[in-house]
Amino acid sequence: MTNVNTRDLDTLAVSKLFWRYAIPSVAGMLVTGLYAVIDGVFVGHYVGSHGLAAINLVYPMVMLQVGLGAMISMGVATRIAIRQGAGDMAGARGALLAALLLLALFGALIPLFGLSNIDALLGWLRADGQAEVREQAYPYLWWMLSGAVLTMGQMLVTYLVRNDGRPGLATVLTTLGALLNILLDYVLVGLVAMGLEGAAIGTLIAESVVLSLGLAYFFTRHAGLRLRLCALTPDWRALWPVIALGAPSLLMELNLAVLLYAHNYQLLQWGNDLSVAAYAVAGYTESLFVLVIHGLAVGMQPLLGHATGAGQPERVRAALLHGLKVCMAIGLAALAAVQAFPAAIAGWYSDGSAELIEAGSRALQLHLLAMPLDGLVVVGCTALQAMAMTRLALGITVSKTILLLPSLGLLPLLMGLDGVWLAMPLVNLLLGMLVMAIMWRELRRLLPAGQRMQAGA
């Protein structure tokens, strides 16, 4: 980040800085979400419910890659922001190079172990139960495992570019990738009729373009943390801090992967492939919401991290308060839209099947009942990470799985298939109340001593 941008983080009004970072970040995440959502739209229209079921059943493996990418990205973004806040530009540059080293390592290990065990993975994911589902699932998983470095890499470079004081450029990169993915989906899935294989290939090509352009930026004179071919020495001491700071992001995605698998398992137990396809409809819709909220949280991260490193509690509090207010407003608006127009939303992912629209509408209305609190948990955990309160963020993230797995097992015994849909809202209600209490405590702690005593009185 340039000195001008660093001075801005120290001096400009937090409300102005919040929107400067949050708007491009939310837009970028929303555009990024189109990678998966557009895949779902094209698959639903051109492949049908078997295609939606296939992509939903194998997606936990893709989420593992996303989790590793999120771990590296959030870890290095936080490390860089804190180092820059402390005035250590050399340490920030070394952390960036350490993150690229981690990317190369994981990008090699995933296909090495995944491709040699792909049949076992399909069986474990229960994607081989029906011939039509397996026919679509196998090539999709093969391509996504092969291109793991692209999935993680495009995520990393957009974080790094944003943290380098270029949120607008990060948005341009993600927008370019999403538009390219839409075009390739139309050609490969719609025109050439390659099914899920075409969707995977289109996604990886788009991600490769974003990764290439993002890396190229850091070798130009416009980059604050400029890299030079003659001096590419990572800070080995930053490897563990990057992993540790990003661990909650990895666990958050791993939780989502485990929960997706658990939902798929229970849906096949209490329903059928159509139920899994309906869950895909709800999942794609939820992913757009979560990505918007995650974009909001990521936009807050440079402000929170820098102010924490610079010892400015009043600016930390102001940024956190802005984020929480906007998060709840978005959550309430999204909930109202889902409850009012479920059939219209489900129709986006249907080839005209009335059964899929009916099942998808039911899933949307029940499964997404607690969207505002779901968003609060995401923003709260990311904020705690950015303020270097990693253990607390980690505990909240793990609690989601601890609570949801028994809920998924017990509620269907009482309510049948509806119990599967309602397990997540119940857990989000419990965790949302916990995060609300923690955020209230942190907001009070960040008050000046005099105001804190007055508030206590």
Side-chain angles (χ1 to χ4, degrees):
M1 192 179 297
T2 63
N3 290 334
V4 172
N5 287 324
T6 301
R7 286 199 302 271
D8 286 349
L9 286 171
D10 287 324
T11 58
L12 287 184
V14 171
S15 57
K16 182 176 181 179
L17 282 170
F18 177 86
W19 292 112
R20 174 188 292 184
Y21 279 83
I23 290 176
S25 178
V26 169
M29 283 291 178
L30 182 59
V31 171
T32 300
L34 292 177
Y35 278 89
V37 174
I38 293 301
D39 281 351
V41 170
F42 277 96
V43 168
H45 277 279
Y46 291 102
V47 185
S49 60
H50 288 307
L52 284 175
I55 200 170
N56 211 57
L57 287 168
V58 302
Y59 211 72
M61 293 308 302
V62 179
M63 294 177 74
L64 169 62
Q65 300 172 27
V66 173
L68 290 170
M71 177 188 74
I72 301 170
S73 303
M74 189 63 188
V76 73
T78 303
R79 175 77 174 181
I80 287 173
I82 292 175
R83 286 294 88 210
Q84 287 177 326
D88 181 10
M89 298 302 291
R93 187 173 291 105
L96 187 157
L97 290 167
L100 294 178
L101 183 64
L102 285 172
L103 172 65
L105 176 63
F106 288 125
L109 290 177
I110 289 175
L112 178 65
F113 291 101
L115 294 178
S116 59
N117 295 287
I118 192 168
D119 288 317
L121 289 174
L122 288 171
W124 178 73
L125 294 166
R126 304 191 72 184
D128 60 351
Q130 286 197 14
E132 297 94 334
V133 173
R134 188 185 193 282
E135 181 183 357
Q136 296 294 329
Y138 186 98
Y140 184 84
L141 184 58
W142 190 95
W143 279 104
M144 295 307 292
L145 289 172
S146 300
V149 68
L150 303 177
T151 300
M152 296 182 292
Q154 62 88 25
M155 195 176 194
L156 174 61
V157 295
T158 53
Y159 269 67
L160 290 173
V161 169
R162 185 179 298 112
N163 252 57
D164 202 55
R166 303 285 182 173
L169 177 58
T171 303
V172 169
L173 289 175
T174 51
T175 302
L176 174 63
L179 293 176
L180 183 56
N181 189 46
I182 293 172
L183 174 63
L184 291 170
D185 269 349
Y186 173 70
V187 173
L188 299 177
V189 181
L191 298 183
V192 184
M194 293 179 65
L196 261 63
E197 181 176 21
I201 293 173
T203 296
L204 293 176
I205 292 174
E207 289 174 346
S208 70
V209 172
V210 174
L211 174 58
S212 300
L213 293 176
L215 283 178
Y217 160 78
F218 283 98
F219 288 92
T220 69
R221 60 183 177 83
H222 303 289
L225 292 177
R226 186 177 181 180
L227 301 179
R228 300 180 186 275
L229 291 175
C230 59
L232 295 178
T233 304
D235 180 1
W236 298 99
R237 297 169 301 176
L239 286 174
W240 174 245
V242 166
I243 292 173
L245 288 168
S249 293
L250 170 61
L251 286 178
M252 186 180 295
E253 291 297 331
L254 288 182
N255 275 340
L256 293 175
V258 170
L259 298 178
L260 175 57
Y261 174 80
H263 274 93
N264 287 337
Y265 186 93
Q266 287 293 78
L267 288 169
L268 290 175
Q269 288 291 109
W270 296 92
N272 50 35
D273 287 343
L274 181 62
S275 304
V276 176
Y279 182 50
V281 170
Y284 283 125
T285 306
E286 183 183 24
S287 70
L288 275 179
F289 167 72
V290 171
L291 280 166
V292 169
I293 294 297
H294 190 57
L296 174 71
V298 169
M300 292 167 54
Q301 179 269 321
L303 280 68
L304 292 171
H306 182 89
T308 298
Q312 301 169 331
E314 71 285 354
R315 294 179 71 83
V316 175
R317 185 179 190 277
L320 182 59
L321 193 57
H322 275 292
L324 293 173
K325 288 179 179 178
V326 176
C327 163
M328 291 303 295
I330 293 173
L332 291 170
L335 177 62
V338 166
Q339 296 301 317
F341 309 106
I345 296 172
W348 297 347
Y349 308 96
S350 173
D351 57 356
S353 167
E355 293 83 0
L356 179 57
I357 292 176
E358 181 181 358
S361 297
R362 184 71 174 171
L364 284 164
Q365 289 186 307
L366 295 182
H367 186 65
L368 304 184
L369 264 175
M371 293 175 83
L373 294 175
D374 190 12
L376 179 63
V377 172
V378 173
V379 169
C381 286
T382 306
L384 291 171
Q385 283 179 261
M387 294 186 290
M389 303 172 69
T390 309
R391 291 183 179 179
L392 186 54
L394 192 60
I396 295 170
T397 302
V398 171
S399 297
K400 191 164 193 173
T401 300
I402 293 173
L403 292 171
L404 188 52
L405 290 178
S407 299
L408 275 172
L410 295 174
L411 283 181
L413 297 176
L414 302 174
M415 307 175 67
L417 184 59
D418 283 350
V420 182
W421 299 132
L422 288 171
M424 182 70 82
L426 173 62
V427 171
N428 281 333
L429 173 63
L430 297 174
L431 282 182
M433 293 173 64
L434 173 63
V435 171
M436 196 179 299
I438 293 171
M439 291 296 101
W440 177 257
R441 184 198 69 185
E442 289 304 307
L443 288 171
R444 290 195 60 188
R445 181 182 66 82
L446 292 166
L447 280 170
Q451 295 183 35
R452 188 162 60 246
M453 293 176 62
Q454 185 177 6

